[in-house]
Amino acid sequence: MTELLTDGAALTALAAAITAAPWTGLDTEFVRERTYYARLCLIQVATPDTITLVDPLPLDIAPLGRALAGPGIKVLHAGRQDLELLLQETGALPAPLFDTQMAAALVGYDEQIGYANLVAQLLKVDLAKDATRTNWAARPLSDRQLAYAQDDVRHLEALRAALLAELERLGRSAWLVEDCAALNDPGLYRFSPEQLVRRYRQGANLSVPAQALFQALLLWREDAARKANLPRAWVVADAVLWDLAARPPKGHADLAQRRGLDDRQIRRLGDHLLSVVQKAPDRPLHPWPAARLDPDEERLYQALAALIDARAQALGIQGGVIGSRRTLKEVAQGAAPGNLARGWRAEVLGTEGERLLAEIAERHADAA
């Protein structure tokens, strides 16, 4: 019978084993349906000797965080959320990394391939999928749930070995090192008002004063949700914020007429909402890109997309591995090109990519 590690001394011993191991497979389970911050409920750790399931609920897992920042390779699949959660809980990021989803994309698999699908395709092993909707915060966990959790790290090292061999054959090992290193930037996991605003692209359809108010309301709700540790929609729904921005309320009586706001919300939040409305700036602090590309932007976007598709086809990978369509549209509208202008992606795009990015930058510099 599999048991959870719940003892501090045992955790210290596991941390020592991780520090000494050449590789560590890593996964986490969490819940966040009822909270702003994800609640870490389980940590799965594989080393060459054993698989251990750590129960973080009764433990201080800081020693585990320090060990995971040690010298051995940390193997994850689609690990960004896991990394964000471990940084939140331990203050440290596991490193160095080998992300098997990223590695698979670089050798030609679907860029969003799931762990079980990759194990089936590459290792010819079928994994059970009957615990995908488990409430990992519940205790006790059943043997079936624990076996499922063990399987999530059981094959990570075998995947790494197979994918690394293929990366080396194709001369792309350095590409993965570059992409995994980007996951170790703590800034990637910090709250960004600009990124929050970009998430709500419909803001571009509002008038400039309404954009400023919508943005102020979004930022207020983010702060309120964070402080209360509640999902954003549990504070105030998106549609309500949009309506308040488009038709600013004049008082509590006006708020009471808005769909999506009940009496309890108005009593608890009405003064705050009206204060945000009154104090909102005339112009948004973080302007939205236009909802549609203008003709010049469309031309440059299409040229960049065609170049990426051609390069990706020649490499046998999906175009989104080089740059997603959303990223390309944002770049065409003046956003920083990011990794399109450096590292292996810049090498793959070559002088034609450099020329297009320079033309985009020049166009927006002139417009400014």
Side-chain angles (χ1 to χ4, degrees):
M1 177 178 174
T2 303
E3 293 185 359
L4 292 179
L5 187 157
T6 59
D7 177 72
L11 183 68
T12 299
L14 175 62
I18 291 170
T19 301
W23 59 265
T24 299
L26 184 63
D27 191 29
T28 68
E29 305 296 347
F30 55 88
V31 295
R32 73 182 316 162
E33 289 82 3
R34 306 174 68 87
T35 56
Y36 178 90
Y37 295 104
R39 185 185 184 194
L40 180 61
C41 298
L42 191 68
I43 307 169
Q44 300 102 295
V45 177
T47 64
D49 298 323
T50 188
I51 294 176
T52 305
L53 302 181
V54 179
D55 186 353
L57 299 182
L59 291 171
D60 174 6
I61 61 168
L64 189 62
R66 290 191 293 271
L68 289 170
I73 296 290
K74 313 308 180 306
V75 192
L76 305 93
H77 184 88
R80 178 166 172 167
Q81 279 191 307
D82 304 301
L83 296 171
E84 181 175 8
L85 192 49
L86 288 166
L87 178 63
Q88 171 188 303
E89 296 297 321
T90 71
L93 282 167
L97 301 173
F98 189 107
D99 189 303
T100 55
Q101 186 183 72
M102 285 182 167
L106 290 175
V107 300
Y109 289 90
D110 186 281
E111 63 179 307
Q112 299 296 327
I113 190 168
Y115 171 74
N117 196 1
L118 184 59
V119 169
Q121 291 190 43
L122 196 55
L123 304 180
K124 311 305 179 187
V125 174
D126 291 325
L127 298 178
K129 301 177 182 179
D130 58 348
T132 54
R133 298 190 63 81
T134 285
N135 175 10
W136 293 105
R139 294 294 185 270
L141 294 171
S142 69
D143 286 347
R144 178 180 58 83
Q145 290 167 326
L146 297 175
Y148 173 91
Q150 285 183 315
D151 278 346
D152 274 349
V153 292
R154 187 181 308 280
H155 304 285
L156 283 172
E157 172 56 15
L159 289 177
R160 183 184 78 90
L163 291 166
L164 182 58
E166 185 64 5
L167 285 166
E168 290 175 344
R169 185 184 72 81
L170 294 168
R172 299 175 190 173
S173 300
W175 296 9
L176 182 67
V177 171
E178 178 185 319
D179 286 356
C180 285
L183 294 175
N184 278 125
D185 176 8
L188 186 66
Y189 309 100
R190 294 193 191 107
F191 171 71
S192 164
E194 293 90 344
Q195 289 178 359
L196 174 70
V197 165
R198 285 184 176 274
R199 193 181 304 159
Y200 296 91
R201 294 179 66 85
Q202 68 268 36
N205 297 320
L206 294 166
S207 68
V208 170
Q211 284 184 15
L213 177 52
F214 186 44
Q215 189 171 116
L217 288 165
L218 286 171
L219 293 172
W220 166 81
R221 183 185 65 176
E222 194 74 12
D223 185 60
R226 194 162 49 231
K227 287 177 178 175
N229 196 24
L230 291 173
R232 298 176 183 91
W234 287 24
V235 179
V236 183
D238 291 352
V240 173
L241 297 186
W242 171 270
D243 180 58
L244 295 178
R247 300 183 301 122
K250 303 187 185 309
H252 281 264
D254 194 352
L255 284 176
Q257 304 303 313
R258 302 303 176 94
R259 290 185 61 184
L261 280 177
D262 59 35
D263 292 341
R264 182 177 60 84
Q265 284 178 303
I266 292 172
R267 287 194 301 271
R268 183 165 48 88
L269 302 174
D271 288 342
H272 296 290
L273 288 168
L274 293 172
S275 177
V276 174
V277 170
Q278 293 165 5
K279 295 177 182 178
D282 295 330
R283 304 187 66 82
L285 299 177
H286 309 287
W288 274 277
R292 295 178 179 273
L293 303 180
D294 68 30
D296 252 5
E297 291 169 341
E298 181 67 28
R299 174 182 61 82
L300 291 164
Y301 161 71
Q302 292 294 347
L304 198 52
L307 175 64
I308 283 177
D309 284 346
R311 296 289 196 267
Q313 185 175 11
L315 292 166
I317 64 177
Q318 295 185 335
V321 179
I322 301 175
S324 70
R325 289 300 196 256
R326 177 171 180 173
T327 295
L328 300 188
K329 286 182 178 179
E330 291 178 349
V331 169
Q333 290 183 298
N339 59 15
L340 291 177
R342 62 176 182 266
W344 71 264
R345 290 174 176 82
E347 293 177 10
V348 164
L349 296 180
T351 56
E352 179 64 11
E354 186 178 359
R355 182 192 66 77
L356 285 171
L357 293 175
E359 186 177 349
I360 291 170
E362 183 178 354
R363 179 187 183 278
H364 285 284
D366 291 343

